[in-house]
């Protein structure tokens, strides 16, 4: 049976979920956070060692100030409770640019990263103010200093040295990567579901994993068996 080491989620649909219920978009984000907590629990139970979550993209700055401020406030409150991550042995790393992020959120990010750095059950990569193209550009700036433009050296200069995602799941019905882990997704399996993120369930999570386990992955080669 093939191994699933790294699962990544594009958590789409919070705003539409809220709109269907006559609620403001930030209400949907609050409900979406509850799904995040459940997905982390399911990932630990499944024995998957790495997860990446697309929290806030570099393009999300185009949204209203009310929504952006609400997202940052929600993230700050969630990350400030780093003891919860420690209790569940979840190491938190963050990928993205710090530029423009509120000081309170940056403080919470620094604290949770530092206080969970020795946790070994699950590594949770939170992509905040993240863009795949920007990550590649930033990596190449560092690579240029050494003159070593090998793929291996570019990988070492990404925001975090993590295994490439084996599986990327996007909820919400859209079928695109939206600038998420562009370099790392070269051989990732892609799963798109119409389910809005707050409605994402354990049954669907398990079915997606089951489908992945049944996929033949040759990475450009040929299976002669």
């Amino acid at each position: 049976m093939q191994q699933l080491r790294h699962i990544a989620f594009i958590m789409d649909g919070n705003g539409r979920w809220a709109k269907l219920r006559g609620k403001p978009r930030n209400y949907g984000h609050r409900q979406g956070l509850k799904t995040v907590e459940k997905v982390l629990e399911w990932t630990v139970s499944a024995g998957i060692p790495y997860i990446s979550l697309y929290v806030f993209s570099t393009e999300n700055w185009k949204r209203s100030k009310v929504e952006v401020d609400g997202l940052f406030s929600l993230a700050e409150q969630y990350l400030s409770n780093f003891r919860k991550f420690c209790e569940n042995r979840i190491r938190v790393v963050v990928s993205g640019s710090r530029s423009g992020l509120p000081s309170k959120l940056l403080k919470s990010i620094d604290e949770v990263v530092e206080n969970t750095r020795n946790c070994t059950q699950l590594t949770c990569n939170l992509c905040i103010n993240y863009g795949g193209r920007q990550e590649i550009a930033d990596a190449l700036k560092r690579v240029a200093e050494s003159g070593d433009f090998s793929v291996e050296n570019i990988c070492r200069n990404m925001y975090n040295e993590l295994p490439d995602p084996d599986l990327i799941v996007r909820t919400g019905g859209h079928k695109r990567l939206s600038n998420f882990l562009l370099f790392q997704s070269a051989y990732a399996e892609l799963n798109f579901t119409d389910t809005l993120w707050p409605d994402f369930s354990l049954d669907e999570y398990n079915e997606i994993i089951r489908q992945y386990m049944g996929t033949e992955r040759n990475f450009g080669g040929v299976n002669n068996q």
Side-chain angles (χ1 to χ4, degrees), residues 139-159:
L140 290 178
K141 289 176 186 175
R142 292 187 288 271
V143 165
E145 297 176 2
S146 67
D148 178 2
F149 286 89
S150 66
V151 171
E152 293 75 16
N153 196 39
I154 293 172
C155 289
R156 286 192 291 269
N157 282 279
M158 289 300 190
Y159 291 139

Side-chain angles (χ1 to χ4, degrees), residues 68-138:
V68 170
D69 288 347
L71 280 166
F72 289 157
S73 177
L74 192 63
E76 187 273 321
Q77 293 171 31
Y78 180 61
L79 293 178
S80 65
N81 187 14
F82 60 80
R83 289 182 180 82
K84 175 171 54 180
F85 294 98
C86 294
E87 290 168 0
N88 293 302
R89 294 185 292 158
I90 298 174
R91 177 173 74 110
V92 176
V93 298
V94 175
S95 296
S97 172
R98 294 171 66 91
S99 177
L101 295 181
S103 58
K104 288 182 68 175
L105 176 56
L106 290 173
K107 182 175 183 292
S108 292
I109 287 173
D110 292 341
E111 287 179 346
V112 73
V113 169
E114 174 61 25
N115 283 283
T116 64
R117 61 188 177 90
N118 294 320
C119 296
T120 57
Q121 184 71 46
L122 172 68
T123 294
C124 177
N125 176 34
L126 299 178
C127 297
I128 302 175
N129 198 18
Y130 174 88
R133 288 178 172 178
Q134 189 61 54
E135 180 178 26
I136 294 169
D138 290 343

Side-chain angles (χ1 to χ4, degrees), residues 3 22 27 44 70 78 111 118 123 142 176 207 209 216 218 220:
Q3 190 176 20
Y27 176 78
V44 169
Y78 180 61
E111 287 179 346
N118 294 320
T123 294
R142 292 187 288 271
R176 54 179 178 261
E207 175 60 18
I209 293 177
E216 183 177 311
N218 295 329

Side-chain angles (χ1 to χ4, degrees), residues 15-16 35 42 52 68 74 101 127 129 131-132 134 142-144 147 170 172 179 195 199 220-221 224:
R16 282 173 285 156
T35 302
W42 303 338
S52 288
V68 170
L74 192 63
L101 295 181
C127 297
N129 198 18
Q134 189 61 54
R142 292 187 288 271
V143 165
R170 179 171 188 149
N179 205 14
T195 303
D199 290 330
N224 294 317

Side-chain angles (χ1 to χ4, degrees), residues 6-24:
H6 187 174
I7 187 168
F9 286 92
I10 301 173
M11 307 176 292
D12 197 12
N14 290 336
R16 282 173 285 156
W17 185 91
K19 185 177 180 180
L20 288 171
R21 290 157 178 78
K23 301 286 188 179

